[in-house]
């Protein structure tokens, strides 16, 4: 932490600031320039609230010089993390694809879509059993019945299952049926839930919150990592801005930024980011070109009858075409699916 | 819902759209103009996803004509709702004040602050026992011990208690000790939690999410109301924007907007909105002038030693001065504390 | 400027950084801690692009320790600036009111409104002759004819005139007829225009850009000040956010922030900030309570026939009522109109 | 325009609304449903302010059903527009590249970079002679001398020149030396300037404003088109959001959206969007994959000495490598450079 002393600060005020810093456990380097005194405070804890120093008399400004997260940072672990599932690896040079419906709706639907997903060479099937809906009157998901259906469908086609958990008391059930736990955008700062999924022995995909900075996102990953679960990967799904034409603004720059700041794999979800079917393929291509380690895409065989988010789901044939394009783009940047 | 048919739509496409709308349970009014056909679809459910119609061939645009919330709306209940506590009323012409520390830290601290709060004529004491912190390494609150302390302090000085609940399994404990349940900004769309607090017999203060529209905020209130709990009031606490000087951007315009769209009381929390002590008094004054039904303000006797958010807490004497100013402003607009 | 050296930097890299800083004209203070080396670089010019240092090998992070503006800063001039017009002063303890129509539309209209404005005790009449409209098909203002009309009306009622200038070649004409030049939100970073109004001998009101940070706003004021014109005051008029119910989000916290960082007076324009008539009075009251040095309010006697922004204009009788309320609020905080 | 009448409106109010609409020149279709009356108003002018109707008694809501722009819209012109320069075409299946320094700094610099640009197969050289800088103390460009230098360098290597114009009185000079006029983000709503470049006989590249919606951006294009200049193309360069790690948030979804709503070509500028050199290549690749019709990229041979925006400029060898990658991605989606 660097503390810039204000021009008019008295020596008494500076001494007070130093005392306060030492009380907080910092080691101090004081540097008196002609115009300004600067204090370096070494040993800052990741949770230190710099405003505590900022409000002291004689302080002009305070800057952190270390990131507030540790286990998630590239400086803690230099090489890329990977997560090994039975027959596939998340992270590394290969790009992963997750596909499936927004919500599990029926046995027929999920089996039908699992087949399409498997035939396209995809290894991970998505489908929501517990749905976070902004209206209390919307379809809230099939619950445990949905979990059983997606497990059955995935097993029939040799797929892994990813599904969302909304609250702590669902974790045990979800772990019985799923291979990967999804934490949704609205729960990115549900700290109680983050702690609990940090204790389970399943990989976790952590979506970025609607208005979360990249730093806050990595802080939320830190909650999971610091509770013991090292198998975390991230997923960019659009942030909220003033633009209303698209559902959200897909922040693809977050992908190279995460790769610089963290060792964790980062996916992209163009379906939620743009919210309209015909914009999904170009943005999926863009995500791969930007360096995403994986994609999550919603598909539906009858999107006009889907109980949730049908308008953003790709049709099976659109999905197959997209997969071919994505493979070409991956190979253009030296990667593959 | 109003569906605007595109200029080049065929009669076959229009019929298809009408059929689809009837399938969804709508009554149809078709109006053929010289240049455009417009379809009015009556009977739209609050949860209807208009994108379902928007993606049909021949549709140019779709507009909801009813708000997606019902029980929270001014058109459902025309007069202002009030919430009666033993000796005070939330909502109505009187403005309420909630004050206390960010977090309950010790018996000495909470008793000291409860005394100050009571002496200032305030009826409701705040204090967090479970703290949502963006870092896993930050102080997370005293938990149930904190709940017991704030109850004791409140009883000693004849105060009501408001405290935050972070997860479902804390609700029972919090209800034992608190008079009002607070749902924080990060939980505004924790739908599982909203449903559960909708079933308890305690008033709920619902804070606006960091990037929640006013409509989404009222939808979240609808979750609580539709589960049976009618004693809901709202609290604006700043939204996230590009401006970095203040912690958040205090959206005071939300106050007259909520008053137009809803019958629920709406409070304002300048402490979290601006995040720096010296900006709290002007913004507290502004909130009263804008018509807020109440304020929530953080105070601390030793803010430099506070375990959470000390830099935004007012000192006791600042708080007393502010209360006097606020009374004058309230009286200027025909209200009182 | 403070440069934090990265943990793994070599001594060679550090020397290189120091050389580069000296080349740029900085004086260097190097402080070697046990874990980190920190370099203080003194003498940073306000326009220095810190990214130049950030990209050097061995640099972990770079922080400015001085604001990028100077003449506009509170540290350059400690006491509040005031601008003296013949019979009124902008800034200082008195709050100023500017009122009038969005656009000058006819002699009858502007005389009628000037009379209302003068009768309410207001000293400054607003009205646009050159209108910045987002559509090329919208009314673009009466131009020079409008300037002549507002001057005549103002003279008839003893008022000062403020009007907007959109381009450099309008400045001379506007200066003939106006007492104060307005620079609109869309021109806040029209640097060519800023420089030119910096050379004229008339006060300038600089509105905040739709997505300008407070720092950028003060930088734009710096353009005017550094070209010689010291009579600058600011006007907050709402920023762009994700919230769509109001036209903009009125950032009233900017008022105490500007007062801390700058000596320039700061006004507020609730009419443009919220964009709907019935929300203007509460937000005008809030602006005064937050400490604004003045307000700018749009009025119209026949808003339903106004050629521009009628829906946000107050009716004359609403304006009179509001003035009474504002006087009470001003007096509650020790100020007056 | 569709007007939804409120439930409690009286017949007298409805008649009033109809009269008012007819006064404004609309043809009326009234549709009385059981619960709601809906009025279709046909013939809405692109500049009509719908708030004029929204504030009438008895109106619940008002919706435009036509875009506020016309000449820029896909419905006005169904096939993609192209702009023919001597030996290259902007728009169409081929992707264009614009490259060069942020600012023209010296004859040596611009000749050196022109050579690199030409050798990479690029046809259009960029370089600023008039620089819009947020600080009055920053390098403001070489002005007309700069224009002469870039023209000379471009001629030496057979290149077209694009350069920015900041104010009306620069247009004539810029037209003497440049082949394409650039309008920068800060001038996107400088309507006076838009009108004037609408009258010149040179193609115009219109950058998106920092906080402009796609609709506003197309409205600004409409200003140019409606003044007679049909050779307009757009350039996405990042929007302002709460995320601070990148300079702006690159809104690549805008590319497919513009392609749907408009016939105008749309470019992308990853250099300004992200602001840091190492993030430029992935985002350039993403822009091509998303369907951009062209890119604009900043390069510099000595970025550490650049007078403006050096930290975001690619080195010549980075640029060559990137060009190779981009060609592969273009071919993956059936396009070429």
């Amino acid at each position: 932490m660097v503390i810039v002393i204000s021009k008019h600060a008295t020596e008494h005020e500076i001494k007070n600031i130093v005392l306060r810093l030492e009380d907080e456990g910092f080691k101090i380097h004081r540097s008196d320039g002609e115009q300004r005194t600067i204090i370096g405070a070494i040993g800052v804890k990741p949770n230190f609230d710099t405003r505590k120093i900022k409000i002291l008399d004689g302080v002009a400004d305070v800057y952190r010089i270390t990131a507030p997260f540790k286990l998630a940072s590239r400086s803690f672990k230099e090489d890329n993390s990977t997560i090994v599932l039975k027959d596939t690896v998340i992270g590394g040079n290969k790009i992963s694809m997750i596909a499936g419906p927004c919500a599990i709706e029926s046995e027929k639907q999920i089996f039908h879509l699992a087949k399409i997903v498997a035939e396209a060479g995809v290894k991970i099937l998505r489908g929501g059993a517990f749905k976070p809906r902004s209206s209390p009157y919307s379809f809230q998901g099939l619950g445990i019945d949905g979990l059983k259906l997606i497990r059955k469908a995935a097993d029939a086609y040799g797929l892994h299952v990813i599904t969302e958990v909304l609250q702590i008391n669902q974790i045990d059930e979800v772990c019985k049926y799923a291979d990967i736990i999804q934490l949704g955008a609205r729960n990115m700062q549900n700290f109680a839930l983050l702690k609990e999924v940090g204790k389970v022995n399943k990989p976790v995909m952590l979506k970025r919150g609607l208005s979360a900075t990249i730093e806050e996102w990595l802080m939320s990953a830190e909650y999971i990592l610091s509770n013991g679960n090292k198998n975390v990967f991230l997923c960019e799904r659009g942030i909220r801005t003033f633009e209303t034409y698209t559902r959200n603004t897909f922040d693809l720059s977050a992908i190279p930024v995460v790769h610089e700041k963290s060792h964790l794999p980062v996916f992209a979800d163009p379906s939620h980011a743009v919210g309209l079917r015909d914009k999904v393929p170009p943005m999926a291509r863009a995500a791969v070109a930007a360096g995403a380690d994986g994609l999550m895409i919603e598909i539906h065989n009858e999107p006009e009858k889907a109980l949730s988010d049908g308008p953003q789901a790709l049709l099976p044939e659109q999905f197959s075409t997209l997969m071919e394009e994505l493979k070409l783009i991956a190979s253009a940047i030296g990667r593959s699916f």
Side-chain angles (χ1 to χ4, degrees), chain A:
Chain A
M1 191 168 57
V2 173
I3 296 95
V4 180
I5 301 299
S6 66
K7 265 195 268 184
H8 308 303
T10 62
E11 186 56 32
H12 179 75
E13 284 169 346
I14 300 178
K15 290 220 165 103
N16 240 358
I17 295 162
V18 169
L19 274 175
R20 180 66 200 282
L21 287 164
E22 290 173 344
D23 270 8
E24 294 277 354
F26 291 103
K27 291 194 60 176
I28 303 303
H29 290 269
R30 176 172 170 172
S31 164
D32 292 297
E34 269 168 72
Q35 299 176 47
R36 290 276 194 177
T37 291
I38 289 166
I39 294 173
I42 306 297
V44 61
K45 289 149 265 170
N47 61 324
F48 188 75
D49 184 347
T50 56
R51 294 180 300 169
K52 282 188 184 182
I53 304 304
K54 203 170 178 181
I55 56 168
L56 299 179
D57 289 335
V59 172
D61 241 321
V62 177
Y63 304 96
R64 297 188 72 94
I65 60 174
T66 45
F69 47 88
K70 186 186 159 201
L71 304 176
S73 72
R74 179 68 80 182
S75 63
F76 176 76
K77 179 169 182 298
E78 292 206 0
D79 51 320
N80 292 330
S81 285
T82 54
I83 298 168
V84 182
L85 296 170
K86 214 175 15 173
D87 58 350
T88 188
V89 175
I90 289 169
N93 200 50
K94 287 229 171 191
I95 303 171
S96 304
M97 175 62 84
I98 299 171
C102 181
I104 306 154
E105 297 171 9
S106 69
E107 179 157 2
K108 196 179 151 199
Q109 173 236 29
I110 193 69
F111 268 76
H112 184 87
L113 292 170
K115 184 163 180 280
I116 288 163
V117 163
E119 284 173 359
V122 173
K123 301 279 191 225
I124 309 170
L125 178 68
R126 67 150 285 148
F130 303 105
K131 298 300 303 171
R133 303 302 296 273
S134 51
S135 165
Y137 310 119
S138 294
F139 174 61
Q140 311 268 324
L142 295 182
I144 293 173
D145 289 344
L147 294 176
K148 290 177 183 168
L149 292 177
I150 195 171
R151 182 73 268 161
K152 242 171 94 178
D155 287 345
Y157 294 99
L159 297 167
H160 299 281
V161 166
I162 180 170
T163 197
E164 184 169 357
V165 63
L166 294 184
Q167 52 188 96
I168 293 173
N169 62 20
Q170 295 163 349
I171 295 177
D172 286 349
E173 284 298 318
V174 166
C175 283
K176 272 192 221 161
Y177 300 103
D179 303 296
I180 308 172
I181 294 174
Q182 175 179 327
L183 282 186
R186 285 175 187 73
N187 280 316
M188 194 203 85
Q189 291 197 318
N190 183 337
F191 303 114
L193 188 57
L194 291 170
K195 283 182 205 170
E196 291 307 313
V197 301
K199 295 171 189 161
V200 304
N201 189 23
K202 296 271 182 185
V204 176
M205 183 177 83
L206 177 66
K207 291 191 129 188
R208 182 179 181 185
L210 262 79
S211 64
T213 62
I214 294 170
E215 186 173 295
E216 289 170 334
W217 192 16
L218 291 170
M219 292 289 281
S220 287
E222 188 85 6
Y223 258 97
I224 304 172
L225 295 166
S226 66
N227 276 280
N229 189 342
K230 303 301 181 208
N231 289 318
V232 176
F233 62 108
L234 305 165
C235 184
E236 159 66 30
R237 44 79 71 209
I239 57 173
R240 178 155 282 181
T241 70
F242 59 83
E243 177 58 61
T244 56
Y245 191 83
T246 44
R247 191 175 182 181
N248 297 289
T249 294
F250 201 16
D251 182 14
L252 283 176
S253 314
I255 290 170
V257 171
V258 167
H259 281 157
E260 178 194 335
K261 301 213 155 268
S262 178
H263 54 88
L264 301 173
V266 57
F267 280 44
D269 172 354
S271 305
H272 282 89
V274 296
L276 285 168
R277 185 181 303 146
D278 60 329
K279 310 292 180 303
V280 171
M283 300 321 292
R285 295 191 304 250
V288 170
D293 297 308
L295 293 183
M296 170 138 119
I297 297 212
E298 290 187 3
I299 61 172
H300 204 287
N301 52 324
E302 296 180 295
E304 69 284 5
K305 295 193 182 158
L307 296 175
S308 173
D309 277 347
Q312 70 196 30
L314 289 188
L315 293 167
E317 56 275 19
Q318 291 175 310
F319 180 63
S320 308
T321 308
L322 176 61
M323 279 302 289
E324 294 315 306
E325 291 178 327
L326 296 180
K327 283 173 191 167
L328 291 172
I329 291 176
S331 106
I333 58 167
R335 300 180 77 171
S336 63
F337 272 85

